[in-house]
Amino acid sequence: MVRLELIETLEGHRDRVWQASWHPSKAILATCSGDKTVRLWAPSTQTNFTKWHCVETLEGAHKRTIRSVAWSPTGNELATASFDATTGIWENDPRDNDWECVATLEGHENEIKSVSWSSTGALLATCSRDKSVWIWEVEADNDFECLSVLQEHTQDVKMVAWHPQLELLASASYDDTIKIWKEDEDDWYCADTLEGHESTVWAIDFNKKGDQIVSVSDDQTIRIWKMYKPNNSQGIPTHNGEATWRTICTLSGYHSRCIYSVSWSKVNGCIATVGGDNTIHIFEEDKEASKDEDSPIYKNIATITDAHGDYDINCVSWFPTESHGDLLSTVGDDNLVRIWKFVRDE
Amino acid sequence: DTVEDPIDEQEVFDLVRSISDPEHPLTLEQLNVLQFDHVEVDNDNNKVLIEFTPTIPHCSMATLIGLCIRVRLLRSLPDRFKVDIRVRKGTHQSEHAVNKQLNDKERVAAALENTHLLEVVNQCLSTAGLRG
């Protein structure tokens, strides 16, 4: 049996909380909100996780909603994406443990929906309602150079997510597709378009290895896509020497409204989803029932209904590493942040 | 121990019927954009569905009208309700696009941060309390 234990409920945001992002190694959670702030939350000590509190509020840099927040791989910087069409870069000053907005990236025509750092921290990606995805190079002295403006989505781009190891980017859009972006001699291009969802794709996450992607949509389904390289042993056709992504599993009938967020644990392999039906679902591959790795079967191993009362849940995220791999955060339209502990009874 | 009043179709219809049309000095009920029969309320499951009928199939105000209905309900209904707003099937040439936009809460949130748009919405809602 598995269950989710509610550890803590955190109040402080004064508007809907849109997203949460775990520090890459420490038990610190960054959350962003319609109240134009980012809050950092931490337990009283790094060993006692029963009580959490707000340790920092980052404010003053954005004029409108902060839709997305992302830690750099070192945890020394945060990037914030705002409806005010700018991306903020915040740096931690270790002397007084203070956060300061050290750069503002401009260029998008309107609301920025998501921001993500590549695994090495060398690249940053942003996406916007202006239908574009921008790739930025991180240079010395808080300088950011735009390397590419990618304009192949036909609608609002909701989320960007980097591959866990490679410089490969995935983007999800209101045009119902996911696109995979790669670089060839400084030139970024769309290497594949993943079609199958019947409405807006709100969120995506890679598995630990990076050869699969999970996506969630307004069509109330969850899809798992697998990458097939050229000359794969399964005989899946590929084009122009590019890998192709195929749906290998579709989960439907679990969420009864739009699914807003998904997180694929890099520690226990479980997939967590949340949405407009106020529910958290946890899925795990049923290794015994799965016939082969090209048609896996996933089972729903835990469900929490009304996890934020009557309110939509906007984001779910697993802690990224082994150190606190059992932690899960959710944020909602009730302005609250919740921390959950994943417990498996043997 | 908070007992909530059940909410029915009449109550929801009363909340929206007197919203003004953005272009004409008439209410959405007077223009037949909103009709009592096109309001569905499932109080037990916290669901509301409103279908509206644009006055002409290429009405450029359809999204704005839908946004006004949504904002009115956001401000008046208990938070527990999930609201879907749709153009009545077959009554608008961009039905799918209008419906998708009206039910994307992120785009609705962004629209409501637009001061000019919010003023227009508030203008349409200034008559909403008249109830018929």
Side-chain angles (χ1 to χ4, degrees), chain A residues 139-168:
Chain A
E139 299 181 327
D141 301 324
N142 301 314
D143 213 17
F144 289 76
E145 188 196 348
C146 178
L147 294 180
S148 196
V149 175
L150 306 165
Q151 292 182 295
E152 290 189 42
H153 277 298
T154 58
Q155 292 288 345
D156 187 359
V157 190
K158 297 297 194 185
M159 186 171 172
V160 280
W162 287 98
H163 187 279
Q165 295 94 33
L166 307 174
E167 289 192 342
L168 181 112

Short mmCIF file of all heavy atoms in Angstrom, two decimals, chain A residues 139-168:
data_model
loop_
_atom_site.label_atom_id
_atom_site.label_comp_id
_atom_site.label_asym_id
_atom_site.label_seq_id
_atom_site.Cartn_x
_atom_site.Cartn_y
_atom_site.Cartn_z
N GLU A 139 25.68 33.71 -20.05
CA GLU A 139 27.08 34.13 -20.13
C GLU A 139 27.54 34.67 -18.78
O GLU A 139 26.77 34.71 -17.83
CB GLU A 139 27.21 35.19 -21.24
CG GLU A 139 26.79 34.63 -22.60
CD GLU A 139 26.92 35.64 -23.72
OE1 GLU A 139 26.73 36.84 -23.44
OE2 GLU A 139 27.22 35.22 -24.85
N ALA A 140 28.78 35.08 -18.73
CA ALA A 140 29.32 35.59 -17.47
C ALA A 140 28.65 36.91 -17.09
O ALA A 140 28.07 37.58 -17.93
CB ALA A 140 30.83 35.79 -17.61
N ASP A 141 28.74 37.27 -15.82
CA ASP A 141 28.24 38.55 -15.31
C ASP A 141 26.76 38.79 -15.60
O ASP A 141 26.35 39.89 -15.99
CB ASP A 141 29.07 39.71 -15.89
CG ASP A 141 30.54 39.57 -15.54
OD1 ASP A 141 30.81 39.09 -14.41
OD2 ASP A 141 31.38 39.90 -16.38
N ASN A 142 25.97 37.75 -15.43
CA ASN A 142 24.52 37.88 -15.59
C ASN A 142 24.09 38.44 -16.94
O ASN A 142 23.15 39.20 -17.05
CB ASN A 142 23.94 38.74 -14.47
CG ASN A 142 24.23 38.14 -13.12
OD1 ASN A 142 24.05 36.94 -12.93
ND2 ASN A 142 24.70 38.96 -12.20
N ASP A 143 24.83 38.02 -17.95
CA ASP A 143 24.49 38.42 -19.30
C ASP A 143 23.82 37.23 -19.98
O ASP A 143 24.28 36.09 -19.83
CB ASP A 143 25.79 38.79 -20.04
CG ASP A 143 25.54 39.91 -21.03
OD1 ASP A 143 24.50 40.58 -20.90
OD2 ASP A 143 26.38 40.08 -21.93
N PHE A 144 22.75 37.50 -20.72
CA PHE A 144 22.03 36.43 -21.41
C PHE A 144 21.88 36.81 -22.87
O PHE A 144 21.38 37.88 -23.19
CB PHE A 144 20.65 36.21 -20.79
CG PHE A 144 20.72 35.58 -19.42
CD1 PHE A 144 21.09 36.32 -18.31
CD2 PHE A 144 20.43 34.24 -19.25
CE1 PHE A 144 21.16 35.75 -17.05
CE2 PHE A 144 20.48 33.65 -18.00
CZ PHE A 144 20.86 34.41 -16.89
N GLU A 145 22.32 35.91 -23.75
CA GLU A 145 22.20 36.20 -25.17
C GLU A 145 21.14 35.28 -25.79
O GLU A 145 21.15 34.07 -25.57
CB GLU A 145 23.54 35.97 -25.89
CG GLU A 145 23.51 36.46 -27.32
CD GLU A 145 24.66 35.91 -28.15
OE1 GLU A 145 25.61 35.33 -27.57
OE2 GLU A 145 24.61 36.06 -29.38
N CYS A 146 20.22 35.88 -26.56
CA CYS A 146 19.21 35.06 -27.22
C CYS A 146 19.85 34.35 -28.41
O CYS A 146 20.34 34.98 -29.34
CB CYS A 146 18.04 35.91 -27.68
SG CYS A 146 16.82 34.93 -28.56
N LEU A 147 19.85 33.01 -28.37
CA LEU A 147 20.46 32.22 -29.45
C LEU A 147 19.47 31.92 -30.55
O LEU A 147 19.83 31.77 -31.71
CB LEU A 147 20.95 30.87 -28.91
CG LEU A 147 22.09 30.87 -27.91
CD1 LEU A 147 22.40 29.43 -27.52
CD2 LEU A 147 23.32 31.53 -28.51
N SER A 148 18.19 31.79 -30.18
CA SER A 148 17.22 31.36 -31.17
C SER A 148 15.80 31.73 -30.75
O SER A 148 15.48 31.70 -29.56
CB SER A 148 17.33 29.84 -31.34
OG SER A 148 16.70 29.44 -32.51
N VAL A 149 14.98 32.09 -31.73
CA VAL A 149 13.56 32.32 -31.51
C VAL A 149 12.82 31.30 -32.38
O VAL A 149 12.91 31.35 -33.60
CB VAL A 149 13.15 33.77 -31.91
CG1 VAL A 149 11.64 33.94 -31.79
CG2 VAL A 149 13.89 34.78 -31.04
N LEU A 150 12.16 30.36 -31.73
CA LEU A 150 11.54 29.24 -32.44
C LEU A 150 10.05 29.48 -32.57
O LEU A 150 9.35 29.63 -31.57
CB LEU A 150 11.83 27.95 -31.68
CG LEU A 150 13.33 27.73 -31.41
CD1 LEU A 150 13.55 26.66 -30.35
CD2 LEU A 150 14.04 27.35 -32.70
N GLN A 151 9.57 29.52 -33.81
CA GLN A 151 8.19 29.95 -34.03
C GLN A 151 7.34 28.95 -34.79
O GLN A 151 6.59 29.32 -35.66
CB GLN A 151 8.21 31.28 -34.78
CG GLN A 151 8.78 32.38 -33.91
CD GLN A 151 8.77 33.73 -34.59
OE1 GLN A 151 9.47 33.90 -35.58
NE2 GLN A 151 8.01 34.66 -34.06
N GLU A 152 7.47 27.68 -34.44
CA GLU A 152 6.70 26.69 -35.19
C GLU A 152 5.38 26.28 -34.54
O GLU A 152 4.53 25.68 -35.18
CB GLU A 152 7.57 25.46 -35.49
CG GLU A 152 8.63 25.82 -36.50
CD GLU A 152 9.39 24.62 -37.01
OE1 GLU A 152 8.75 23.58 -37.27
OE2 GLU A 152 10.62 24.73 -37.14
N HIS A 153 5.23 26.58 -33.25
CA HIS A 153 3.91 26.33 -32.66
C HIS A 153 2.94 27.33 -33.26
O HIS A 153 3.30 28.48 -33.54
CB HIS A 153 3.96 26.50 -31.13
CG HIS A 153 4.45 25.28 -30.40
ND1 HIS A 153 3.80 24.07 -30.43
CD2 HIS A 153 5.54 25.11 -29.60
CE1 HIS A 153 4.46 23.19 -29.69
NE2 HIS A 153 5.53 23.79 -29.18
N THR A 154 1.68 26.90 -33.44
CA THR A 154 0.70 27.80 -34.05
C THR A 154 -0.15 28.52 -33.01
O THR A 154 -1.00 29.32 -33.35
CB THR A 154 -0.23 27.01 -35.00
OG1 THR A 154 -0.86 25.98 -34.24
CG2 THR A 154 0.56 26.39 -36.15
N GLN A 155 0.08 28.21 -31.73
CA GLN A 155 -0.68 28.83 -30.64
C GLN A 155 0.23 29.00 -29.42
O GLN A 155 1.34 28.48 -29.38
CB GLN A 155 -1.88 27.95 -30.27
CG GLN A 155 -2.98 27.86 -31.33
CD GLN A 155 -3.78 29.13 -31.47
OE1 GLN A 155 -3.74 30.02 -30.61
NE2 GLN A 155 -4.50 29.26 -32.58
N ASP A 156 -0.33 29.76 -28.45
CA ASP A 156 0.18 29.89 -27.09
C ASP A 156 1.02 28.67 -26.65
O ASP A 156 0.53 27.54 -26.69
CB ASP A 156 -1.09 29.99 -26.23
CG ASP A 156 -0.88 30.30 -24.78
OD1 ASP A 156 0.27 30.44 -24.37
OD2 ASP A 156 -1.89 30.43 -24.06
N VAL A 157 2.27 28.90 -26.21
CA VAL A 157 3.10 27.79 -25.72
C VAL A 157 3.04 27.78 -24.19
O VAL A 157 3.37 28.77 -23.54
CB VAL A 157 4.56 27.89 -26.21
CG1 VAL A 157 5.31 26.60 -25.90
CG2 VAL A 157 4.62 28.19 -27.70
N LYS A 158 2.61 26.66 -23.63
CA LYS A 158 2.34 26.59 -22.19
C LYS A 158 3.55 26.22 -21.35
O LYS A 158 3.67 26.65 -20.21
CB LYS A 158 1.23 25.56 -21.94
CG LYS A 158 -0.11 25.89 -22.57
CD LYS A 158 -0.70 27.15 -21.99
CE LYS A 158 -2.18 27.29 -22.35
NZ LYS A 158 -2.70 28.60 -21.89
N MET A 159 4.41 25.37 -21.86
CA MET A 159 5.51 24.89 -20.99
C MET A 159 6.72 24.47 -21.81
O MET A 159 6.58 23.93 -22.90
CB MET A 159 5.03 23.71 -20.15
CG MET A 159 6.07 23.27 -19.13
SD MET A 159 5.42 22.06 -17.97
CE MET A 159 6.93 21.61 -17.13
N VAL A 160 7.90 24.73 -21.24
CA VAL A 160 9.15 24.21 -21.81
C VAL A 160 9.84 23.37 -20.74
O VAL A 160 9.80 23.69 -19.55
CB VAL A 160 10.11 25.34 -22.27
CG1 VAL A 160 9.69 25.88 -23.62
CG2 VAL A 160 10.22 26.48 -21.24
N ALA A 161 10.47 22.27 -21.17
CA ALA A 161 11.19 21.39 -20.23
C ALA A 161 12.42 20.83 -20.93
O ALA A 161 12.31 20.29 -22.03
CB ALA A 161 10.28 20.26 -19.77
N TRP A 162 13.57 20.96 -20.29
CA TRP A 162 14.81 20.41 -20.84
C TRP A 162 14.95 18.93 -20.51
O TRP A 162 14.51 18.47 -19.46
CB TRP A 162 16.03 21.15 -20.29
CG TRP A 162 16.20 22.53 -20.84
CD1 TRP A 162 15.80 23.69 -20.23
CD2 TRP A 162 16.83 22.91 -22.08
NE1 TRP A 162 16.12 24.76 -21.04
CE2 TRP A 162 16.75 24.31 -22.17
CE3 TRP A 162 17.42 22.18 -23.12
CZ2 TRP A 162 17.25 25.02 -23.25
CZ3 TRP A 162 17.92 22.87 -24.20
CH2 TRP A 162 17.84 24.27 -24.28
N HIS A 163 15.61 18.23 -21.39
CA HIS A 163 16.01 16.83 -21.18
C HIS A 163 16.89 16.77 -19.93
O HIS A 163 17.66 17.71 -19.67
CB HIS A 163 16.78 16.37 -22.42
CG HIS A 163 17.11 14.92 -22.44
ND1 HIS A 163 18.19 14.40 -21.75
CD2 HIS A 163 16.51 13.87 -23.06
CE1 HIS A 163 18.22 13.09 -21.96
NE2 HIS A 163 17.23 12.75 -22.75
N PRO A 164 16.81 15.69 -19.13
CA PRO A 164 17.59 15.63 -17.88
C PRO A 164 19.10 15.62 -18.06
O PRO A 164 19.83 15.97 -17.12
CB PRO A 164 17.10 14.35 -17.21
CG PRO A 164 16.41 13.57 -18.27
CD PRO A 164 15.89 14.56 -19.26
N GLN A 165 19.60 15.24 -19.25
CA GLN A 165 21.06 15.26 -19.46
C GLN A 165 21.47 16.02 -20.71
O GLN A 165 22.49 16.69 -20.71
CB GLN A 165 21.60 13.82 -19.61
CG GLN A 165 21.49 12.93 -18.36
CD GLN A 165 20.23 12.08 -18.37
OE1 GLN A 165 19.76 11.66 -19.43
NE2 GLN A 165 19.66 11.85 -17.20
N LEU A 166 20.69 15.95 -21.77
CA LEU A 166 21.11 16.49 -23.06
C LEU A 166 20.58 17.90 -23.30
O LEU A 166 19.64 18.34 -22.64
CB LEU A 166 20.58 15.58 -24.19
CG LEU A 166 20.91 14.10 -24.08
CD1 LEU A 166 20.21 13.33 -25.18
CD2 LEU A 166 22.43 13.89 -24.14
N GLU A 167 21.16 18.57 -24.30
CA GLU A 167 20.64 19.87 -24.71
C GLU A 167 19.53 19.63 -25.74
O GLU A 167 19.66 19.91 -26.93
CB GLU A 167 21.76 20.77 -25.23
CG GLU A 167 22.64 21.21 -24.06
CD GLU A 167 23.61 22.32 -24.39
OE1 GLU A 167 23.87 22.56 -25.58
OE2 GLU A 167 24.11 22.94 -23.44
N LEU A 168 18.43 19.09 -25.23
CA LEU A 168 17.27 18.77 -26.03
C LEU A 168 16.07 19.34 -25.26
O LEU A 168 15.95 19.13 -24.06
CB LEU A 168 17.15 17.25 -26.13
CG LEU A 168 16.01 16.70 -26.95
CD1 LEU A 168 16.57 16.03 -28.20
CD2 LEU A 168 15.22 15.68 -26.16
#
